[in-house]
Amino acid sequence: MRFLPTILSAASLLISVANASLSTDILYWPLGSSQPSVLARISYEPASLKSDVVSYHPPKDDQSDSLLRVGLYTSTPTNKKQWVGSLVSLSALTSEQPTFRLHLGPANEVYTVSLSTSSTNAQDSTSGPQIDLVSNEPGTQPHLNRPVVVGPDGQNPEQPEEKSLFQKYWWVLLIIIFISMSGGGGEGQ
């Protein structure tokens, strides 16, 4: 009985950690600049794949560079501060509504970000960027260690030849002939 409160508190801690909201910074880095600037701060819940834009600071359109690097810093076993990103045009961030795709890794951390744009229209009441979370789901797995079936001569077994339309439906022709031949004799009898 003394262990019940400990087990319940551990379970509630695990539930709160599972529902915890994480955050990440998306950075933009002009080609002529020496360091990146914060583009957006995103909070997300990996369990429900819900996200929220905490802050968004698009770059000014008056910059000399028309290309920007958009990405984030991740940590790898060999490098604690590794830049991961892609090259986009400045107009993609300023004139159109960007959609950021955050790709989540196995530990629910963001390991890369990609950008797609869509024209803003009157139907969209939201302003600012849209966020799309992509979870780390395994793809289809090959069936390994299956025996390969070969013929006695070591070749693949021959597939049966496909039958023609007449070979499949010859009996329909017989039914049509029977019905036409057994039709009524005539009216004048």
Side-chain angles (χ1 to χ4, degrees):
M1 277 307 216
R2 288 184 279 169
F3 297 113
L4 186 61
T6 306
I7 293 173
L8 289 176
S9 66
S12 66
L13 178 66
L14 286 175
I15 291 172
S16 67
V17 167
N19 292 332
S21 180
L22 302 173
S23 67
T24 190
D25 289 336
I26 299 174
L27 307 171
Y28 74 94
W29 193 347
L31 293 178
S33 179
S34 61
Q35 63 182 2
S37 302
V38 175
L39 176 64
R41 177 163 285 137
I42 310 296
S43 67
Y44 62 95
E45 295 178 15
S48 63
L49 294 179
K50 291 183 181 178
S51 62
D52 185 33
V53 179
V54 176
S55 65
Y56 180 62
H57 309 288
K60 303 289 188 247
D61 201 12
D62 60 352
Q63 293 186 2
S64 62
D65 292 328
S66 64
L67 294 176
L68 301 169
R69 293 173 274 204
V70 174
L72 49 99
Y73 283 112
T74 61
S75 96
T76 62
T78 58
N79 191 354
K80 295 296 179 192
K81 195 172 182 184
Q82 174 73 41
W83 173 262
V84 177
S86 59
L87 193 64
V88 298
S89 69
L90 178 63
S91 64
L93 293 175
T94 56
S95 65
E96 298 175 354
Q97 184 176 12
T99 300
F100 293 104
R101 294 189 69 166
L102 303 177
H103 299 268
L104 302 178
N108 292 327
E109 80 284 358
V110 177
Y111 68 89
T112 189
V113 61
S114 61
L115 174 76
S116 65
T117 58
S118 61
S119 305
T120 55
N121 52 20
Q123 298 172 5
D124 261 344
S125 61
T126 61
S127 62
Q130 300 294 314
I131 306 299
D132 185 18
L133 291 175
V134 180
S135 66
N136 183 21
E137 296 178 2
T140 58
Q141 299 295 317
H143 297 285
L144 301 175
N145 295 330
R146 291 175 94 183
V148 177
V149 179
V150 294
D153 57 350
Q155 300 294 326
N156 288 336
E158 292 185 22
Q159 298 294 329
E161 191 173 322
E162 183 74 22
K163 291 183 178 180
S164 69
L165 188 67
F166 182 72
Q167 288 173 332
K168 287 182 186 177
Y169 302 108
W170 61 269
W171 52 272
V172 175
L173 185 61
L174 286 178
I175 292 174
I176 292 172
I177 292 173
F178 177 74
I179 291 174
S180 64
M181 305 261 315
S182 66
E187 301 176 17
Q189 290 181 339

